[in-house]
Amino acid sequence: MKEFLKNLGPGILVSAAFIGPGTVTVCSIAGVEFGYDLLWALLISVIGCMLLQEMSARLGLISGMGLSENIKSQLANPILRNIALLLVFSAIVIGNAAYEAGNISGAALGLQGIFADVSLNLGNLKINLWSCLIGGLAFILLFLGSYKQLEKVFIGLVLLMSLSFLITAILTKPDLRLIFKGLIPSNVDAGLLSIIALVGTTVVPYNLFLHASLVSEKWKGAGKLGIVRKELIFSIGLGGLVSMAILICAAASRIQNIENAGDLAAGLEPLFGEAATVFLALGLLAAGITSSITAPLAAAYVVRGCLGWKPARNDWKFRMVWMSIVLLGIIFSSVGFKPVEVIQFAQVANGMVLPVIAIFLFWIVNRAAVMGEYRNGFILNLFGILVIGLAFFLGIKSIYNVLSNF
């Protein structure tokens, strides 16, 4: 057990990355609108996430490089290579900069659920001090923390997040019979948009880049593949369990309408007491902090791979990337500004990059020249094709949703 805990790291960061404030909100809304009926969609999304992340982690371990470095080295055609890198850069770097404010705001919402709203009024400008605190904490952890220190922080935060949401789910006293029934696919048409949202918030493009880079740094040699897979299955499985716990909380709450996790916290207190609200707020706080660290970190890895910088986390060029994203997140979150056009652009770019990266990943993990005997087998290819089909559907739907709003 001690040896297993020592090997926790990359998978935990990936799990922490996809359970952010957006996931909490999506799972909450799905639970309020459809009860336990969409638990099966979360289960499928977690399995799909495991498959893609396993390919990414295996690529990082065997090749010794991150995903963006592999794109550069394996795409021989310079036009295709540059288009792919530009698309990745747009989706991951600009996207994460746009979403960082939401990550910080989500964590601040968690603090507001435990304490009061703390703001500073400067004329007509209202500054949320909780957002400044969360953003500052993310900045300090990234600046001072070595990889091993960051791993320990994330393990602690993920455990806090997991316990918080699981305890909240228990406090709501859900109907176990309905939970097991919800794990069986039903009522597909009624919740189609919610199903897409649940899968889309779990299968995240930037996690594919983050995972490959972290694995290539932490472990060397194919002999570690068994450890990588065990750590991945445990971490992402735990993340899926947390997502389900959030949905169960919302389904059991009997709240009629909800827009964000703050509404869920407010709705739980009169029904299940202050403890439920506090635990939910702690979970949201941990989810926001972890995502506000992993998003800038993933963007820095992508830029480093695309531009061929040296693989050193204390390199100032690497640091400047995540610093810029964290600072933009602090500014936008603290003043409540939402860069709508940038977010819409990021959504379109992410919708395009997910299927493209899924196809590239599938192609490269089947190449004997790169993977040798560790390339995909028949079963993995079969499931991989299904996941790529799902990625295409998610990407097209994401782009359509943005374009239909114009």
Side-chain angles (χ1 to χ4, degrees):
M1 185 64 179
K2 186 179 178 182
E3 185 68 22
F4 178 75
L5 290 173
K6 191 172 75 173
N7 285 313
L8 287 177
I12 285 288
L13 266 71
V14 168
S15 181
F18 78 71
I19 307 173
T23 300
V24 178
T25 299
V26 167
C27 291
S28 299
I29 293 172
V32 166
E33 293 185 353
F34 300 100
Y36 306 100
D37 286 353
L38 297 183
L39 282 171
W40 65 269
L42 266 179
L43 182 61
I44 288 175
S45 70
V46 170
I47 294 170
C49 179
M50 283 183 181
L51 285 167
L52 281 178
Q53 296 298 154
E54 190 278 336
M55 292 183 202
S56 174
R58 182 158 35 99
L59 175 63
L61 182 69
I62 303 303
S63 70
M65 297 189 295
L67 189 48
S68 48
E69 289 94 335
N70 271 292
I71 291 173
K72 280 191 74 174
S73 66
Q74 296 303 315
L75 286 178
N77 187 304
I79 296 174
L80 286 177
R81 182 172 62 241
N82 290 333
I83 290 173
L85 292 174
L86 181 62
L87 184 59
V88 166
F89 187 93
S90 301
I92 308 301
V93 180
I94 298 175
N96 285 5
Y99 299 143
E100 181 68 357
N103 294 329
I104 294 173
S105 296
L109 197 62
L111 277 175
Q112 287 168 211
I114 303 169
F115 306 104
D117 180 17
V118 181
S119 301
L120 179 65
N121 291 312
L122 297 175
N124 295 325
L125 191 64
K126 184 180 179 182
I127 298 174
N128 188 321
L129 295 182
W130 288 136
S131 291
C132 297
L133 177 65
I134 296 297
L137 179 62
F139 190 98
I140 291 168
L141 286 171
L142 281 167
F143 189 84
L144 297 179
S146 66
Y147 178 69
K148 288 186 177 179
Q149 289 171 325
L150 277 178
E151 275 188 349
K152 290 176 182 176
V153 169
F154 270 88
I155 290 169
L157 286 171
V158 168
L159 287 175
L160 172 63
M161 178 170 60
S162 303
L163 288 172
S164 298
F165 286 126
L166 290 171
I167 290 171
T168 310
I170 292 168
L171 288 173
T172 60
K173 298 177 182 177
D175 189 326
L176 294 178
R177 181 181 58 84
L178 291 176
I179 289 175
F180 286 114
K181 185 181 176 183
L183 291 170
I184 301 169
S186 63
N187 198 24
V188 177
D189 293 334
L192 184 59
L193 291 178
S194 294
I195 292 168
I196 293 166
L198 287 171
V199 177
T201 197
T202 306
V203 183
V204 184
Y206 84 73
N207 272 345
L208 299 173
F209 292 88
L210 183 64
H211 207 166
S213 294
L214 292 175
V215 167
S216 68
E217 285 187 3
K218 185 176 176 69
W219 291 296
K220 304 295 179 187
K224 299 292 185 181
L225 185 57
I227 293 171
V228 170
R229 283 174 169 163
K230 287 176 184 175
E231 193 257 353
L232 178 153
I233 291 168
F234 170 80
S235 301
I236 296 177
L238 180 61
L241 192 62
V242 169
S243 296
M244 289 181 181
I246 298 165
L247 190 149
I248 289 167
C249 291
S253 69
R254 297 188 291 277
I255 299 170
Q256 297 300 312
N257 189 36
I258 185 172
E259 291 186 5
N260 56 49
D263 295 340
L264 179 60
L268 287 177
E269 185 168 350
L271 293 167
F272 307 107
E274 188 178 346
T277 305
V278 170
F279 280 116
L280 186 74
L282 281 171
L284 183 58
L285 172 64
I289 292 174
T290 53
S291 294
S292 64
I293 296 172
T294 53
L297 189 61
Y301 275 122
V302 166
V303 174
R304 187 183 78 181
C306 290
L307 300 182
W309 296 342
K310 63 180 182 180
R313 194 176 297 184
N314 59 357
D315 179 61
W316 271 101
K317 289 180 290 187
F318 183 87
R319 283 180 166 178
M320 286 301 293
V321 177
W322 65 251
M323 281 180 179
S324 302
I325 291 174
V326 173
L327 288 173
L328 283 173
I330 293 171
I331 293 167
F332 290 158
S333 174
S334 61
V335 301
F337 175 67
K338 295 180 180 179
V340 178
E341 290 80 8
V342 179
I343 290 172
Q344 287 177 332
F345 171 79
Q347 287 172 334
V348 171
N350 270 289
M352 293 171 65
V353 83
L354 179 57
V356 170
I357 294 305
I359 289 172
F360 174 80
L361 189 57
F362 185 74
W363 169 67
I364 198 169
V365 293
N366 274 288
R367 295 199 72 200
V370 178
M371 303 299 292
E373 63 182 291
Y374 298 98
R375 63 186 183 275
N376 270 12
F378 175 77
I379 299 297
L380 270 176
N381 278 335
L382 184 62
F383 283 109
I385 290 169
L386 292 174
V387 173
I388 287 172
L390 184 62
F392 257 105
F393 183 71
L394 284 171
I396 292 167
K397 191 64 183 176
S398 175
I399 295 167
Y400 173 78
N401 285 343
V402 173
L403 296 178
S404 63
N405 288 328
F406 282 103

